[in-house]
Amino acid sequence: MKIHVLIVLLFANLALYAQTIESFEQPVPLRSAHVQVMKTQPDGKILIGGDIAYHGNIPVSNLIRVNPDGSLDETFNFYHDPEFIVLDVEQTNAGDLYVLIREYGSFNTVFYFDSYILKVNAQGSIQKEISAAPETKCIALQDDGKLLAGTWGSGKLVRYHADLTVDTGFENAVTFNGALGDILFVNQKILISGSFTTVNGLTRNAIARLHPDGSIDNSFDPGTGSSDYIGALTVQPDGKILLGWTYINTFNGNNYRGIVRLNENGSVDSGFQGPNLNGGISRLLVTEQGIYAGAFWNPPGITQPGAGVLFRMDFTGAYDTGFEPVVLDLLTAIDAQIAISGDHIYSSYTQDSGNIFGISRIDHSGDIDDLFKPEISRYGTIRYGDELSGKLLVAGDFIRFNGIETYGVARLNEDGTVDESFRLKNNKGVVAQIDVLEDETVMVTTQENFFKLDGQGDMVPEFHWEKFENLFNVSKFKMLNQNKIMVADPNQVNRLHADGSKDASFNRGEVCCSISTAFDFDTQDDKVVYGSVFSSLGGISVNRLARLTSTGLVDTTFNPGSGPNDAVYMIKVLDNNEILVGGAFTEFDGETIPRGLVKLSADGELDLEFNENQKLSSFGPFSGAYIYSQVEQLGTKVYIRGVEKVYVVNTDGTIDEDFNIPISVGEISDLIAQKKNTNGREKAGNDYLFALGSFQASGTNKPSFILKLKVQGGGNENPILSTEKTGHELNVKVFPQPVADILKLHLPGEAGIFKAHIFDSAGKIFLSTSITANQSGLPAEIDMKNAAPGLYLLHITSEKTGRSAFTKFIKTN
């Protein structure tokens, strides 16, 4: 079973703390690239942009050009900061490119930040770069060489000259009250779509056409248009307009099932009768053979519920049986990018049926070319970990791990290399949780699939789970003492037998009157503590928090009083059966709660001392930190894993404010301990701690995914230190650098008493003292004459405000 403890995150060459870093090979987890744009050039080569880190073993930078056989065109060398994803590309007649990029972060959720537009020559070299309007979503090239750019959030249309200077004559020519999704320049007109309802003050719902000066073209009349977002436009050679990256429910007052084609004047083309889709449709591609699209749909012959497929329609919209539909990745079918080169169709997100790296070549009958397997990939994520046979087991969304093909689960040797004796051979989806059991089998859920693996990564056939009426997937599970399994889909809990079958003896009854996908549960012996936003369970009134007996009934001996006044997101049963509850609430059983966190007795009574101690600190977790959080306990400390931070709370409610993360963090996904004595198996030497997630070391563009730390005594004796600047950091300067005798400290604008701890390069405290600073500007002094030469770390904390800072310095003779 997993043993979680506090993690100290350290950069690999820094040894400044009470723990030391071990040599550990950094893994390279890879998954299929996230493709945002594919465009064929006149010579048949294909530009592919998005989140792309590698083509085969060659590092690339989010925009590549491939030959029709999938090989990398190495004459095209584009490089930009890999933190900027490529969203759109336009090509001029001269062969130059305009490239739209946006800074992003993508671990669990993609967040977009600043946008830029680049002018790039035919060889990939950047000729010019400008900052674009925030949230720029799409670009389009006019026939005169000017470039249009539309934004998502602010609903703004900007036009640039060919040299990327702003066309000031067009500024403020067009106003929107919503997002722009796509732009086309067709027949000297500007066609726009998105989620707006007015353009230049006139009603235009989701689609409009403009004259080149930005005024509305009234000859294009879509009537009342649509209330559905339209994210992509495709114009046929005859001028008719296909609406993509959408699901059209209604258009101009009439009902539809996902897909609509407009005439050139904006009216609905009644002669186009597309299929009734189950969900959204991608950008469409028009060829001589017909119209290609990716969509959520079950065409004839595809029985998988809610499948995503690439299919072809004829020019009336009828399903074309001459093209065998290609199964797409279910989650990204609407994002499918489709291109044509020569006699082949190229489609992204085909990893479920074709190339495991997502881009496949398909002929016009629907046959996938099995020899076309370009490895166009991005970094995968490592989200979960555990210990299996004394080795680190990791899981995530990768399909290849350090060159070894293993789908989402891998086992590492002590030095970080892949243990090739353990491999998951089939793609079951993105792992949502793993747990190593006492018999060293491994439970795994990918939500759609819940299964058990043996010590070699092979499926255990005796465990067989199938969906049933109250459990359509498994997003979280917890093993019970009697070898039964508590499981939950995104809304509610159920129980299974050890073989994966439904345990009908557990009957929770009806939930009223609402539930939240941010709910949580934990086990307390053979009972389950369960929190959400419900008001009753099985006909018994409860307020967002309850304990269920072994049969699923509400346990009336559990009494949290009036309970919380808002949603419960987090439940953690502590070692002594006391319970931590976190959520959006500000009151609990009539008491004011400072930061949405309470501790209850084993039977639900509010711990008032814990609550009062929470009020003593201005720093600590907040309600949003409890959503999908992970909570671990080591001794008297509890560690709450947020997205980018770990909050350390003592079991008496006081907060350890000194815990910070001394490396750039994209996201923390899991905390794991490899202890000297684990499950009765003695391990010689030190304990090892691992941090899983996305980290960025200074001076490199490559992310780190696993940090390994050797600790003494579980890392519980000394405060947790950091060199990462935070909003709570003091401004401290030390001099001279290097120092021989007296280290001087300058704290601009600060006054009062400060605690100072100096750590040597082995992580041991060399000196602890107090210093006084005043606003006269005179520096404080620390005597370092007796210190050995070397690298030291100073940690200084204000006794008045609790604000702290870290800085390094060198001592010489």
Side-chain angles (χ1 to χ4, degrees), residues 486 493 506 508 520-532 534 537 540-560 571 573 576-579 600-605:
M486 289 304 305
V493 295
F506 184 85
R508 189 203 59 248
D520 200 10
F521 74 93
D522 202 357
T523 56
Q524 190 186 53
D525 299 324
D526 63 345
K527 298 180 179 181
V528 177
V529 184
Y530 178 29
S532 183
F534 45 71
L537 292 173
I540 297 179
S541 294
V542 290
N543 183 29
R544 302 179 177 92
L545 181 65
R547 184 169 67 189
L548 306 180
T549 68
S550 60
T551 60
L553 300 176
V554 172
D555 183 354
T556 56
T557 67
F558 180 80
N559 184 17
I571 302 286
V573 176
N576 62 357
N577 268 344
E578 292 180 332
I579 307 160
L600 310 180
S601 71
D603 289 322
E605 183 180 356

Side-chain angles (χ1 to χ4, degrees), residues 626-643:
Y626 308 123
I627 300 176
Y628 307 121
S629 64
Q630 173 192 348
V631 186
E632 304 303 335
Q633 181 182 5
L634 176 62
T636 60
K637 291 186 181 294
V638 174
Y639 309 98
I640 300 173
R641 175 188 56 80
V643 175

